[in-house]
Amino acid sequence: MKSITSTLFLLSSLTRVVYSFSTLPAFATTTTQKSSSSILQMSTIDAAAKQKYNKVFLAGGSKGVGRHILTNLVEAGSEVVALVRSADVAEELNQIEGVTAIQGDAFDYKTVEDNMDGCDAVVTTLGGAASEEEGAKRIDYEGNSNVIEAAGILGVTRVVLVTSIGCGDSQEAIPPSAYDVLKDSLAAKTRAENVLIKYYTNSNWTIIRPGGLKSEPATGTAILTEDSSVVGSVHREDVAGLVMKALTSEKAMRKVLSAIDLDLVGEPEKKAEVDVFALE
């Protein structure tokens, strides 16, 4: 009897172990395991986009497109956790109601994961020139990759990655001379895009590639398109508005979209050729 009881206990234990592995998310085998307890927080995919996300992790919110996104998120009623490098910027942003600004470095995975925990959506606009201290590392890849991986580990399935026209299959859209100048940044951003697309199959991601960025006020005429051959300029404030619309659009999920302003495209015939992506 004792032998039979021991055998049944062993079989029961093995069944629980097999079941626990079978319920792990698909991406778990493709990422470096940073925290086994965090992996178990992943539940079923949130298949439908929300009208508003309660708490959004924002990487790159100190200036440019990211700063406009931060303002838009707060106005929409979302709580924002913004990871910024500068202590002065963090102090400034913390004066805004609804914003928790953390001074930290996206190069550090643990900093990203710890501060993303509890968020239900992620937006990253990380990018920029590499410093001498960083050497060959680029925030365009290393930082964005950390953000993407942390979202996967924590089960944050809604991710919007802002890169640039010239990445991936849009390389041919920009003049060779421009690509030569930007190639290191574009190559790093492309690597980040590929990580998100290829390995995070449980993620409801959107990639937005803006054209040449301008700092003037929004025109309200910027558009998104799946046409990877388009190129043009767009205002940063308009890109932020498109990111906000895409964030809550089911149609934008698992789409790679270019962002340009048709009113800033010089040739009328080129405007007519652009197939505008409808978010609603």
Side-chain angles (χ1 to χ4, degrees), residues 108-189:
D108 180 59
Y109 173 84
K110 191 62 177 172
T111 296
V112 174
E113 185 188 80
D114 287 349
N115 290 289
M116 188 187 296
D117 196 6
C119 294
D120 56 352
V122 168
V123 178
T124 176
T125 66
L126 290 173
S131 66
E132 291 183 6
E133 293 80 12
E134 292 161 0
K137 294 195 303 180
R138 296 196 66 97
I139 199 72
D140 312 72
Y141 172 68
E142 302 282 352
N144 282 322
S145 181
N146 282 339
V147 170
I148 293 164
E149 182 171 357
I153 292 294
L154 293 170
V156 185
T157 59
R158 190 69 184 108
V159 178
V160 178
L161 170 64
V162 180
T163 58
S164 177
I165 289 179
C167 292
D169 62 355
S170 69
Q171 178 180 336
E172 299 300 322
I174 65 174
S177 57
Y179 184 80
D180 286 343
V181 173
L182 301 170
K183 62 183 179 181
D184 290 340
S185 175
L186 293 174
K189 290 179 190 292

Side-chain angles (χ1 to χ4, degrees), residues 5 12 23 29 32 81-82 90 96-97 104 110 117 125 142 156 183 190 195 209 211 219 223 232 235 240 260 270 273:
T5 301
S12 176
T23 56
T29 58
T32 303
V81 178
I96 303 172
E97 186 176 355
K110 191 62 177 172
D117 196 6
T125 66
E142 302 282 352
V156 185
K183 62 183 179 181
T190 297
V195 167
R209 298 168 171 168
T219 66
I223 60 94
H235 293 185
I260 60 169
K270 287 188 177 180
E273 294 173 358

Side-chain angles (χ1 to χ4, degrees), residues 94-107:
N94 276 321
Q95 303 305 309
I96 303 172
E97 186 176 355
V99 175
T100 301
I102 309 296
Q103 181 194 8
D105 197 333
F107 278 116

Side-chain angles (χ1 to χ4, degrees), residues 13-24:
S13 299
L14 286 172
T15 300
R16 287 196 298 272
V17 170
V18 170
Y19 176 77
S20 67
F21 276 101
S22 68
T23 56
L24 284 175

Side-chain angles (χ1 to χ4, degrees), residues 44 175 187 272:
T44 57

